[in-house]
Amino acid sequence: MKSTLIAPSILSGDFANMGREVEGLKSAGADWVHIDVMDGIFVPNITFGFKMISDIRPHSDLTFDTHLMIDKPSRYVERFVKAGSQYVTFHLEAEPDVDGTIAIIKAAGCKCGLAINPDTDVDKLIPYLDKLDMALIMTVFPGFGGQRFIDGSLERIARAKALVKRYAPHALVEVDGGVTADNAAEIISAGADVLVAGSAVFNADDRAAAVARIRGE
Ligand code: DX5
Ligand code: ZN
């Protein structure tokens, strides 16, 4: 069986040393680098944009998993692909033209994910699943690292996994928000293929040990 992928979120890293932070993730055992882009409109926080991604790109050969928490992402997705992302994920709630945005990302040669907030019905993914490479289930309201995993999210993950199996067997289910070594096992059992972990990795004294514990090793 394919093991779960661990994607530490650099949102919890040191922004003054992002190259070094990203360099350390491979030796810590991470599979992907999760990159949280926020615009202060779709979410009440602002992080960084294309230049950060292209500047850290030479510091790692891991997959760059870019999570756009921005309003009307269709305007910018191509530039996030060109900056060095292998996956670009945008929010269903943020984009009136979901199909068009998926098409732009795929035409740019990138894998495409679609994210939903904790209060969006998981079944709203159904019309898009066969075009997607990944469904991202938010288990906190996006905007900030270090929040608590929302109760009831395991059922949403299980529903997403069932839908992906039915409509897009090749696609991955990614879970983002409040993932820790203590709840990772049940999140994986519910159906997660990719676990995002920000504070649980970056705030740990030993990041390699933190990644291993989240993976269940
Ligand atoms: C939240 C971001 C997450 C966040 C996860 O808006 O999308 O990726 O960084 O952080 P933790 O793991 O600390 O909840
Ligand atoms: Zn994220």
Side-chain angles (χ1 to χ4, degrees):
M1 203 180 91
K2 182 164 58 70
S3 86
T4 313
L5 300 170
I6 308 299
S9 165
I10 60 170
L11 180 63
S12 295
D14 176 2
F15 279 33
N17 290 291
M18 214 43 115
R20 207 177 61 199
E21 294 286 58
V22 167
E23 271 162 26
L25 288 177
K26 189 167 189 177
S27 55
D31 300 289
W32 290 4
V33 180
H34 185 80
I35 300 174
D36 285 310
V37 177
M38 304 186 187
D39 67 351
I41 295 174
F42 181 66
V43 289
N45 196 7
I46 298 176
T47 54
F48 45 71
F50 324 109
K51 187 170 187 306
M52 172 69 88
I53 299 173
S54 54
D55 282 3
I56 59 175
R57 185 64 278 184
H59 291 264
S60 177
D61 59 7
L62 295 179
T63 291
F64 274 16
D65 170 36
T66 299
H67 176 194
L68 301 179
M69 287 157 278
I70 65 173
D71 190 46
K72 300 193 184 66
S74 55
R75 299 174 291 171
Y76 296 112
V77 285
E78 202 169 358
R79 290 174 69 187
F80 281 106
V81 175
K82 292 207 170 111
S85 313
Q86 276 74 49
Y87 280 78
V88 167
T89 295
F90 65 98
H91 273 260
L92 177 63
E93 305 88 357
E95 178 55 58
D97 184 8
V98 173
D99 280 317
T101 308
I102 293 171
I104 299 170
I105 294 169
K106 307 273 289 198
C110 186
K111 299 212 166 166
C112 180
L114 188 60
I116 52 167
N117 282 340
D119 58 356
T120 296
D121 186 345
V122 178
D123 287 18
K124 289 207 169 140
L125 292 169
I126 291 173
Y128 312 107
L129 278 175
D130 64 337
K131 292 150 237 156
L132 293 173
D133 301 292
M134 188 159 75
L136 195 174
I137 306 302
M138 288 304 302
T139 45
V140 300
F141 282 92
F144 301 92
Q147 303 182 75
R148 196 172 164 277
F149 185 87
I150 294 173
D151 291 336
S153 296
L154 292 175
E155 290 73 18
R156 292 169 55 75
I157 296 162
R159 177 68 182 156
K161 183 64 170 189
L163 293 175
V164 161
K165 271 193 184 151
R166 179 163 169 199
Y167 296 103
H170 59 280
L172 300 171
V173 174
E174 182 173 51
V175 172
D176 185 2
V179 175
T180 67
D182 293 329
N183 62 17
E186 56 188 1
I187 296 170
I188 294 168
S189 303
D193 302 300
V194 187
L195 294 183
V196 176
S199 46
V201 171
F202 280 95
N203 295 349
D205 293 331
D206 182 342
R207 291 178 183 173
V211 169
R213 284 186 63 214
I214 293 166
R215 210 196 290 283
E217 286 163 357

